[in-house]
Amino acid sequence: MRERKIENILLIILLILGIPVFLAVAIYVSAFQISSFQLDLTILGEQEVTVEYGDHYADAGAEAYFSGTYLLKNGKEVSVNTLSNVDESKPGTYHIRYDASFLIWSACGERIVHIVDTQKPEITLRSDPDQITLPGEPYAEEGFTARDNFDGDITDRVIRTQVGSVVIYWVSDSSGNTAEVTREIIYHDPLPPELVLLGESSVTITEGDAYQDPGVVATDNCDGDISGRVVVTGTVDTNAAGTYTIQYYVEDSYGNCASAVRTVTVNAKPQASVGSSVQQTVVPDGKVIYLTFDDGPGPYTDQLLDVLAQYDVKATFFVVDSGYSDAMQRIVREGHSIGIHSTTHEYKSIYSSEDAFFEDLEQMQSIIQNTTGVTTYLMRFPGGSSNTVSSFNPGVMTRLTAEVEARGYRYFDWNVSSGDAGETTSTDRVFENVVNGVGKRNVSIVLQHDIKSYSVAAVEKIIQWGLDNGYSFLPLDMTSPTAHHGVNN
Ligand SMILES: [Zn+2]
């Protein structure tokens, strides 16, 4: 019985001691074994996120729940602390840390955020519509800009290289994104070549003369001398009177062209046919003296030519077949005019008929041509057109003056006589006669004979007087005044 008592006491003691232990064990078992408690943290969305620079990053956050196996089976939400160093304004790698704690439980997580710039910079080329790059010339940059979404204006970082006719622009942004654009240089030559006629743009020749075109010179700002590319069209028929044009055309390598035209007038050879037109008279300006010398050349003609050369005065010689062919050549060579006077100067024969007259005239024309190479249609009737020595053949001068013009000749008389044909043999008198006559008019055609020494001797004084008094000396040509006397037979 006693033993039982002790057992009971021990049981009571055990019970008293055991209750808190039991409770502790029960609590322990229920919290960690039967219904184990935990704190869970879940990162919402991806663990590692890449965001393009410029886009907004919105963090999806994280959530945490405290829960147990039997108790708080559905969990209790626990607030999450977020610690982020994400800077959207700067590319880089950032971390977001999430923390949660409840009583003695805690949980954490981390998300990695990459802010990246993968966008290329942009290069913009400017082009100037007025810019012209001449072939062979360096290219003048028209301008460009480079912009980057992160770096902003990076024009100064552009690297520019030219390869042939291509300009390459290259740039890199601070993230290593590169951009490249190219520009094809447009070479353009807006300038036409220059075509320059050699010789006159208007040429007049006489039927039967040879015509040799002097050509042109063509130069181009890019191609240089392109005379060899000139296309010449048009021909001159030197055997048919008319007006011909010769066209020159040239094109440079860029299609610019230039053209020029030369006019070649082939004048009809004065024909022995009725109706040839007489050339219009062109009255010279100012006070003019035409010195004319008949019946030479002769022994004093060289002396006369010396004086004329000394004063650079040009005169006119109406020549006969005197045999002084050297002097005749010199007349032409030194720029004087040469005209036909007569082969024989025999009034009786030359005025005996029109045929006889023209036979004599044409013979002298041939002598002049053979001696000097000049075919002259300037002429003076022996005795002048007003002569009456021909009156043995009534009306012959009336017929001849018409016929010579019809055949294309231009005949000249004179309006100042020196008197050297009989009136005087005095040089002073010749001078006075000429000066008196010249002084009365603006245009004088002076008659002298270069076969008379005393007359030739007056020429220097006449020239000096003329120059001192404002006259100019001219040679006769096919348009000069004729000083016709009027026909008396
Ligand atoms: Zn004469």
Side-chain angles (χ1 to χ4, degrees):
M1 187 70 183
R2 200 183 153 120
E3 283 175 350
R4 276 241 163 160
K5 247 186 179 174
I6 288 166
E7 282 175 354
N8 288 341
I9 289 165
L10 273 171
L11 185 66
I12 290 162
I13 290 167
L14 278 172
L15 279 171
I16 291 167
L17 286 173
I19 288 165
V21 172
F22 173 79
L23 266 175
V25 169
I27 290 165
Y28 175 82
V29 169
S30 64
F32 295 100
Q33 301 299 318
I34 301 163
S35 176
S36 65
F37 287 104
Q38 58 187 14
L39 183 58
D40 292 309
L41 185 141
T42 309
I43 294 174
L44 301 173
E46 299 294 319
Q47 196 85 30
E48 189 163 358
V49 181
T50 298
V51 180
E52 183 66 37
Y53 168 78
D55 290 349
H56 177 59
Y57 172 65
D59 189 50
E63 54 186 23
Y65 284 89
F66 181 74
S67 59
T69 317
Y70 299 108
L71 299 169
L72 287 174
K73 226 177 160 182
N74 292 326
K76 168 195 163 37
E77 188 165 8
V78 175
S79 69
V80 176
N81 270 325
T82 304
L83 185 65
S84 166
N85 68 347
V86 173
D87 182 355
E88 286 180 354
S89 70
K90 237 163 104 186
T93 296
Y94 300 98
H95 302 268
I96 301 175
R97 208 184 142 78
Y98 306 97
D99 285 296
S101 61
F102 183 70
L103 296 175
I104 59 165
W105 288 270
S106 69
C108 67
E110 189 185 62
R111 193 198 313 269
I112 295 172
V113 177
H114 301 280
I115 304 285
V116 294
D117 171 23
T118 62
Q119 212 171 315
K120 290 178 174 188
E122 198 176 335
I123 300 174
T124 307
L125 299 183
R126 204 176 299 133
S127 52
D128 176 359
D130 294 330
Q131 167 138 333
I132 286 164
T133 306
L134 293 173
E137 294 292 316
Y139 168 68
E141 179 57 50
E142 289 158 271
F144 56 87
T145 52
R147 277 202 68 79
D148 183 62
N149 63 322
F150 175 66
D151 298 329
D153 187 344
I154 52 169
T155 305
D156 57 356
R157 289 189 222 165
V158 172
I159 295 168
R160 188 182 166 282
T161 47
Q162 184 176 343
V163 179
S165 63
V166 174
V167 184
I168 302 161
Y169 306 80
W170 182 92
V171 76
S172 173
D173 70 8
S174 56
S175 301
N177 301 302
T178 64
E180 184 179 293
V181 297
T182 59
R183 184 204 297 274
E184 177 82 35
I185 300 169
I186 298 164
Y187 288 102
H188 178 56
D189 170 23
L191 302 174
E194 203 182 343
L195 205 52
V196 177
L197 288 178
L198 295 174
E200 299 297 318
S201 62
S202 180
V203 177
T204 301
I205 60 168
T206 302
E207 202 181 333
D209 289 354
Y211 176 71
Q212 176 75 48
D213 193 77
V216 287
V217 171
T219 45
D220 183 63
N221 60 315
C222 294
D223 299 342
D225 188 339
I226 52 170
S227 302
R229 292 190 219 163
V230 175
V231 177
V232 184
T233 51
T235 52
V236 177
D237 183 350
T238 58
N239 293 315
T243 300
Y244 300 90
T245 54
I246 298 182
Q247 287 102 14
Y248 309 87
Y249 176 85
V250 73
E251 208 173 280
D252 69 12
S253 308
Y254 294 84
N256 303 301
C257 61
S259 60
V261 171
R262 192 195 311 274
T263 306
V264 179
T265 305
V266 177
N267 277 340
K269 199 170 192 169
Q271 297 290 314
S273 63
V274 177
S276 291
S277 61
V278 175
Q279 293 212 39
Q280 290 286 306
T281 298
V282 178
V283 177
D285 292 333
K287 300 196 290 182
V288 174
I289 299 171
Y290 296 95
L291 294 179
T292 71
F293 300 94
D294 285 9
D295 298 353
Y300 316 111
T301 305
D302 270 327
Q303 182 195 330
L304 170 59
L305 289 169
D306 289 344
V307 171
L308 295 173
Q310 188 188 332
Y311 292 91
D312 194 26
V313 162
K314 305 301 177 198
T316 304
F317 294 80
F318 291 103
V319 298
V320 299
D321 182 22
S322 59
Y324 285 81
S325 50
D326 285 350
M328 192 184 281
Q329 286 167 357
R330 190 178 162 195
I331 287 167
V332 169
R333 193 169 60 243
E334 296 188 357
H336 304 287
S337 289
I338 195 159
I340 309 161
H341 197 30
S342 173
T343 308
T344 63
H345 210 288
E346 289 290 339
Y347 297 131
K348 282 281 175 232
S349 60
I350 63 176
Y351 292 134
S352 62
S353 70
E354 283 103 292
D355 284 350
F357 178 83
F358 280 107
E359 193 183 323
D360 173 88
L361 185 80
E362 285 166 7
Q363 191 184 342
M364 193 63 225
Q365 187 181 41
S366 295
I367 291 167
I368 296 169
Q369 190 171 26
N370 294 337
T371 308
T372 67
V374 169
T375 307
T376 182
Y377 288 83
L378 307 173
M379 63 154 291
R380 175 174 281 160
F381 288 103
S385 65
S386 58
N387 79 76
T388 50
V389 296
S390 61
S391 53
F392 63 90
N393 183 356
V396 71
M397 293 314 297
T398 305
R399 295 190 293 277
L400 287 177
T401 49
E403 184 64 16
V404 292
E405 289 189 338
R407 296 193 186 198
Y409 295 92
R410 187 170 182 89
Y411 74 92
F412 295 86
D413 288 318
W414 56 91
N415 54 18
V416 175
S417 177
S418 65
D420 69 355
E423 176 205 326
T424 183
T425 56
S426 153
T427 298
D428 288 345
R429 190 63 196 271
V430 167
F431 169 75
E432 284 163 25
N433 286 343
V434 171
V435 164
N436 286 339
V438 167
K440 291 176 188 159
R441 44 180 66 79
N442 276 337
V443 176
S444 296
I445 301 181
V446 177
L447 171 64
Q448 286 185 262
H449 294 80
D450 53 330
I451 53 170
K452 313 272 178 156
S453 62
Y454 55 86
S455 188
V456 168
V459 171
E460 183 164 11
K461 254 181 98 180
I462 293 170
I463 292 173
Q464 286 171 344
W465 178 89
L467 295 174
D468 286 348
N469 288 279
Y471 290 86
S472 50
F473 293 87
L474 291 176
L476 292 170
D477 61 33
M478 292 297 281
T479 64
S480 300
T482 53
H484 286 173
H485 293 161
V487 174
N488 296 313
N489 174 29

